[in-house]
Amino acid sequence: AFKWADEIRKTVLREIEWSPSRTGLINPVAIFEPVELEGTTVSRASVHNISIMEELELGIGDEIEVYKANMIIPQIAENKTQSGTFVLPKFCPCCGETLTVKYSMSGVKDLYCPNTECIARNAQKIARFCDKKAMNIEGLSAVTLEKLMAFGWIKNFYDLYHLDEHRESIANTPGFGISSFERMWNSINA
């Protein structure tokens, strides 16, 4: 069978963003100078875990090669510079809790936020609950939920069904408005 060669582009690593998940895992995301790949502009790629970061010897300013796995998922193919200067964060980017390093059964090294009350972590849990494959509540992404949680309007799943108690406050919050609240509330009720 013929296999297409991946389109690979050189770029420069500008930043490592640390993204909390619903399990407490803090995923590294490489932010780099935008490049055209497979007909789209790409500027970020998941690095998945600390083990991969160490293997690639990543550092800010490194020249990297990126491609799209299966012509869809941006990945780092190689680090030409291999400075190895990346520094693991010590605290959760959301809640400020001290992070821990854990090893999986296969020896993969990951970064975790142990705070079960972390807003980003709980927003991801509730976003999964609201997902199309679960409750199918439109308009409640993890980003929107983080905002609602930061104001204290949502702390758990139960609070979703009582957002009407905060109707006026949400409607008067920049970035929301009454029509935004109504769409969200109608979707929750549906």
Side-chain angles (χ1 to χ4, degrees):
F2 180 78
K3 184 179 178 193
W4 293 103
D6 290 318
E7 187 177 320
I8 296 175
R9 294 282 183 265
K10 287 183 182 179
T11 186
V12 176
L13 182 65
R14 291 290 172 219
E15 179 183 351
I16 297 291
E17 183 179 278
W18 298 90
S19 177
S21 73
R22 66 185 171 82
T23 61
L25 179 67
I26 308 290
N27 299 304
V29 178
I31 312 294
F32 45 83
E33 291 293 323
V35 291
E36 288 290 321
L37 274 175
E38 310 289 347
T40 61
T41 302
V42 180
S43 62
R44 43 191 307 126
S46 175
V47 187
H48 305 292
N49 56 55
I50 299 169
S51 295
I52 293 173
M53 288 188 69
E54 289 174 346
E55 184 178 301
L56 288 168
E57 298 182 61
L58 291 176
I60 305 306
D62 284 358
E63 183 180 296
I64 58 174
E65 290 185 344
V66 294
Y67 71 102
K68 279 185 164 180
N70 299 319
M71 298 175 72
I72 298 169
I73 304 163
Q75 302 285 319
I76 297 176
E78 189 177 349
N79 181 358
K80 295 294 190 179
T81 311
Q82 295 184 330
S83 70
T85 58
F86 82 90
V87 177
L88 287 179
K90 291 182 176 25
F91 306 102
C92 176
C94 183
C95 70
E97 183 78 23
T98 301
L99 298 174
T100 59
V101 174
K102 291 186 179 181
Y103 291 86
S104 70
M105 297 286 273
S106 59
V108 172
K109 200 174 183 182
D110 285 308
L111 199 57
Y112 280 89
C113 173
N115 181 5
T116 57
E117 300 303 315
C118 177
I119 288 177
R121 186 174 176 173
N122 286 326
Q124 293 289 339
K125 283 181 192 174
I126 294 173
R128 187 174 171 108
F129 175 79
C130 295
D131 193 278
K132 189 177 245 180
K133 294 178 183 176
M135 297 303 292
N136 195 19
I137 300 172
E138 293 179 21
L140 283 175
S141 66
V143 173
T144 300
L145 287 164
E146 279 185 42
K147 290 177 187 175
L148 295 170
M149 293 173 89
F151 283 106
W153 298 322
I154 294 179
K155 293 181 186 77
N156 52 46
F157 300 106
Y158 173 85
D159 292 338
L160 284 172
Y161 300 99
H162 295 279
L163 271 181
D164 59 327
E165 296 170 5
H166 306 287
R167 182 180 190 273
E168 291 303 315
S169 299
I170 294 171
N172 292 318
T173 300
F176 284 99
I178 192 66
S179 60
S180 178
F181 173 82
E182 293 298 332
R183 277 193 306 277
M184 187 171 38
W185 185 243
N186 290 337
S187 186
I188 289 168
N189 284 315

